[in-house]
C-alpha cells in the first residue's frame, strides 16, 4: 500500500509550467529526498501535496483513495503535515505552547474554558521523548538551538496522526551539529511509520537519511531511485542535466 | 508519574533560582524604582506621605492603569492604539449627556461602554480586515472620536447628571474601606486581564499573533477576529475609565483625556509591553502606571514646573525600550 501516490500531476502558473506529468508513489515510513535545481518545481510539488493549491491536471491518491484538496486543512485532515521553511514558530512562547498553537486543549471551570497547560506540557514532553530530543516543554523557543526549534515544529506534526510530513529545506540555515539532530528527528518519524518528503540542496544530508531520491528538472521528474542504487555523483548529473534520465 | 525522566523534563525550566528569575524581569526594576521614589519623597517632603496625597496618587494612577491594561493587550498583539484618550472622552460625554437628560445611570453607562467598544471594533476591522496600519487607523480615530464628543455635547461643560447624579459622583470619587473606587476597579480589571492573558485561548492567541503573525495564520488561529476583539477590549477599558473619571471630576469637558495616549503607552511599555509585539503583562501595566504617577506627583511636590512632565514621560518610553534592547542583546 502507498500512503501517497501522485499520478501525472501538472501545474502551471499562467505561462510558466512548474510541474509536468509528475508521477510518484510513497510508502509508509519511507523517507524521500526531493532534489532539483532552483526553480525546478520542488516547492510547487510540496504545495500541491499540502493542498495550498490544486494541480492543473492529474490525481492525488491517499492510501489508494483518490482525493481532492480544496484547502490546506483538507490535506491536514488526510494526515499530511508540513514543516514550513520558517517553521511557523512563535519565539515569545514556550515549546509546549508552540506545539499546541491553534489547537490548545482546554478544561472547563464552571462556564469558562481555560487552557490546560498541565496536559500540554505532559503531551509535548512525551512527543519530545519520542523524537529523542532534549527539548523541554517549559522553555521559551527564543533561547533554543535550531535543532530544538525543528523538534518543536516536528512535534506539532505528531499531535495529529500524521501519515506524511513534508519538509522544505529544514537544514538550510543551521549548524552542522544541528543538522545531525534534524536528521535524527527524520529517522524517528520514519521509525514510527511516518513517511517524510525532504527537500534539500545538501547532498550528504539526503544520502544520510533518504530511502529513495527523486529528482525534478524544469518541472519534470527525471529520476526516482533507491538511494542505495545511486550515488551523489549520479544525482548531481541528473540535477544539472549532464545525465538525461535514470 | 511513572517515568521519572519524563516528569523531570516536564517540570524543568531554563530559569535557575527564584532570585535570578525575578531580577531578570524588567517589571522588578520598575517596581523597585517606584518604591525607591516613594521612600525618597517620604524623606524629602512632608507632603507626600499624607493620607490625602496618597489618596490622590492612587486614584489618579488608576485611570491610566485601567487604560494601560487594554493598551498592553493591543501592544502584545503587535499593534498600537492611539485613540484611547479620545475614546475616554466620547465615553465620558455619552454617559454625561444621557444622564443629564434624566436617564438612570445604568442606561448611560451601558451606552458609553457600547460606544467605546464600537470605536474599538471600527479600529479593529480596519486593521484586521482592511489590513491598514494600526498607527494610521487609530490616529485617524483619535481625531474623529474627540470631534464627535464635541458634536455630541455642543462643546459645553456638563455637571448636572439627573436623578443618579450622586451615585455617579460616589462611584468615581468615593472610597470603600479607604480605597478609592477607581483603584478597586483597577485591581479587579487587572486580575481579570491577567487571567485572560494567561488562562484563556484568547490570551495565547493574541500573544502568538504578536510573536509571529505568519505562524498564527498557518496554524489556523482566527487572526482577524482576535485582532478586532483586542481593539474592542482596549476601547472598553478606555470607556470604563471615562465613566469613572466623570464621576471623579463631577463634570466633563471635551479636553478630557487629551494627550493621555502617550502616558498610557509609556505605562504599558515601562511595565514590559514589547512594542515589537508578543510581550506584556497586566501586572506590568499597573506598575508602569504607578511609577509614572509617582514621578508626576513628585515633580509637583518638589516644586518643579509641571512643564517638565512631558520630558519625563517621553524619556521613560525611550529608556524602557532601550532597556529591552539591551536585555535582548545580552541573551
Ligand atoms: N506563485 C508563483 N507564481 C508564479 N510562478 C511561480 C510561483 N511559484 C513558483 N513559480 C515558478 O515556478 C517554478 C518552480 O518554482 P518552485 O518554487 O517550485 O521551485 P523550487 O524547486 O522550490 O526552487 P528553490 O530551490 O529555489 O526553492 C519557477 O520557475 C518559479 O519561478
Ligand atoms: Mg523552494
Amino acid at each position: 500500500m502507498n500512503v501517497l501516490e501522485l499520478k501525472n500531476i501538472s501545474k502551471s502558473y499562467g505561462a510558466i509550467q512548474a510541474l509536468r506529468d509528475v508521477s510518484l508513489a510513497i510508502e509508509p515510513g519511507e523517507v524521500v529526498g526531493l532534489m532539483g535545481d532552483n526553480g525546478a518545481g520542488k516547492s510547487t510539488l510540496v504545495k500541491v501535496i499540502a493542498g495550498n493549491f490544486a494541480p492543473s491536471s492529474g490525481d492525488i491518491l491517499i492510501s489508494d483513495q483518490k482525493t481532492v484538496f480544496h484547502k490546506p486543512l483538507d490535506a491536514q485532515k488526510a494526515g499530511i503535515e508540513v514543516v514550513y521553511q520558517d517553521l511557523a514558530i512563535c519565539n515569545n512562547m514556550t515549546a509546549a505552547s508552540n506545539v499546541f498553537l491553534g489547537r490548545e486543549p482546554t478544561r472547563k471551570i464552571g462556564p469558562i474554558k481555560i487552557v490546560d497547560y498541565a496536559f500540554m506540557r505532559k503531551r509535548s514532553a512525551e512527543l519530545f521523548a519520542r523524537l529523542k530530543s532534549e527539548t523541554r516543554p517549559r522553555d521559551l523557543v527564543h533561547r533554543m538551538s535550531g535543532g530544538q526549534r525543528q523538534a518543536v515544529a516536528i512535534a506539532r506534526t505528531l499531535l495529529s496522526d500524521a501519515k506524511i510530513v513534508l519538509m522544505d529545506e529544514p537544514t538550510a540555515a543551521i549548524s552542522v551539529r544541528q543538522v545531525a539532530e534534524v536528521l535524527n528527528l527524520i529517522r524517528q518519524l520514519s521509525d514510527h511509520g511516518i513517511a517524510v518528503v525532504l527537500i534539500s540542496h545538501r547532498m550528504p544530508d539526503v544520502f544520510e537519511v533518504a530511502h529513495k531520491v527523486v529528482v525534478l528538472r524544469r518541472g519534470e521528474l527525471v529520476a526516482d531511485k533507491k538511494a542505495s542504487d545511486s550515488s551523489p555523483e549520479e544525482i548531481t548529473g541528473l540535477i544539472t542535466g549532464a545525465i538525461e534520465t535514470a | 508519574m511513572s517515568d521519572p525522566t519524563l516528569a523531570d523534563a516536564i517540570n524543568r525550566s531554563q530559569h535557575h533560582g527564584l532570585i535570578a528569575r525575578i531580577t531578570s524581569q524588567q517589571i522588578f526594576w520598575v517596581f523597585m524604582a517606584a518604591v525607591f521614589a516613594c521612600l525618597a519623597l517620604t524623606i524629602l517632603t512632608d507632603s507626600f506621605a499624607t493620607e490625602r496625597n496618597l489618596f490622590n496618587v492612587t486614584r489618579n494612577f488608576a485611570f491610566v492603569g485601567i487604560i494601560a491594561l487594554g493598551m498592553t493587550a493591543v501592544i502584545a498583539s503587535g499593534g498600537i492604539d492611539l485613540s484611547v484618550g479620545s475614546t475616554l472622552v466620547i465615553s465620558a460625554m455619552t454617559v454625561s449627556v444621557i444622564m443629564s437628560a434624566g436617564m438612570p445611570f445604568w442606561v448611560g453607562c451601558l451606552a458609553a461602554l457600547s460606544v467605546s467598544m464600537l470605536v474599538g471594533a471600527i479600529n479593529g476591522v480596519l486593521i484586521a480586515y482592511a489590513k491598514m496600519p494600526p498607527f494610521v487607523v487609530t490616529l485617524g480615530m483619535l481625531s474623529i472620536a474627540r470631534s464627535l464628543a464635541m458634536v455630541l455635547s455642543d462643546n459645553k461643560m456638563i455637571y448636572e447628571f439627573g436623578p443618579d447624579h450622586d451615585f455617579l459622583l460616589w462611584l468615581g470619587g468615593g472610597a470603600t474601606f479607604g480605597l478609592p473606587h477607581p483603584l478597586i476597579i483597577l485591581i479587579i480589571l487587572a486580575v481579570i486581564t491577567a487571567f485572560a492573558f494567561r488562562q484563556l485561548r484568547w490570551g495565547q492567541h493574541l500573544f502568538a499573533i504578536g510573536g509571529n503573525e505568519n505562524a498564527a495564520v498557518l496554524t489556523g488561529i482566527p487572526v482577524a477576529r482576535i485582532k478586532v476583539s483586542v481593539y474592542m477590549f482596549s476601547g472598553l477599558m478606555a470607556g470604563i475609565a471615562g465613566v469613572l473619571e466623570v464621576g471623579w471630576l463631577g463634570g466633563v469637558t471635551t479636553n478630557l483625556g487629551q494627550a493621555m495616549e502617550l502616558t498610557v503607552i509609556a505605562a504599558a511599555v515601562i511595565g514590559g509591553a514589547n512594542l515589537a509585539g508578543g510581550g506584556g503583562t497586566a501586572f506590568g501595566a499597573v506598575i508602569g502606571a504607578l511609577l509614572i504617577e509617582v514621578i508626576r506627583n513628585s515633580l509637583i511636590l518638589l516644586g518643579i514646573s509641571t512643564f517638565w512632565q512631558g520630558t519625563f514621560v517621553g524619556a521613560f518610553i525611550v529608556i524602557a525600550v532601550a532597556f529591552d534592547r539591551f536585555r535582548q542583546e545580552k541573551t
Side-chain angles (χ1 to χ4, degrees), chain A residues 42-43 85 168-169:
Chain A
K42 305 181 295 292
S43 295
Q85 209 154 358
D168 198 345
E169 303 261 14

Side-chain angles (χ1 to χ4, degrees), chain A residues 67-135:
Chain A
T67 319
V68 180
F69 300 142
H70 297 287
K71 51 183 188 300
L73 196 63
D74 295 343
Q76 211 177 35
K77 281 184 186 146
I80 298 172
E81 289 278 341
V82 187
V83 175
Y84 295 94
Q85 209 154 358
D86 73 347
L87 300 180
I89 272 180
C90 295
N91 283 327
N92 57 327
M93 306 181 85
T94 64
S97 289
N98 266 291
V99 169
F100 284 88
L101 206 60
R103 319 184 230 194
E104 298 82 2
T106 53
R107 62 197 168 87
K108 277 199 154 178
I109 292 194
I112 305 169
K113 283 197 283 185
I114 69 168
V115 176
D116 193 345
Y117 285 102
F119 177 80
M120 277 165 55
R121 283 196 284 264
K122 182 166 172 289
R123 187 88 180 87
S124 43
E126 283 164 10
L127 295 176
F128 293 138
R130 225 167 103 186
L131 292 168
K132 298 199 164 55
S133 165
E134 296 271 301
T135 313

Side-chain angles (χ1 to χ4, degrees), chain A residues 147-168:
Chain A
Q148 287 179 319
R149 297 159 65 89
Q150 288 282 344
V152 171
I154 292 171
R156 189 186 281 161
T157 68
L158 292 178
L159 257 193
S160 55
D161 258 324
K163 295 195 186 96
I164 304 181
V165 174
L166 309 171
M167 303 175 87
D168 198 345

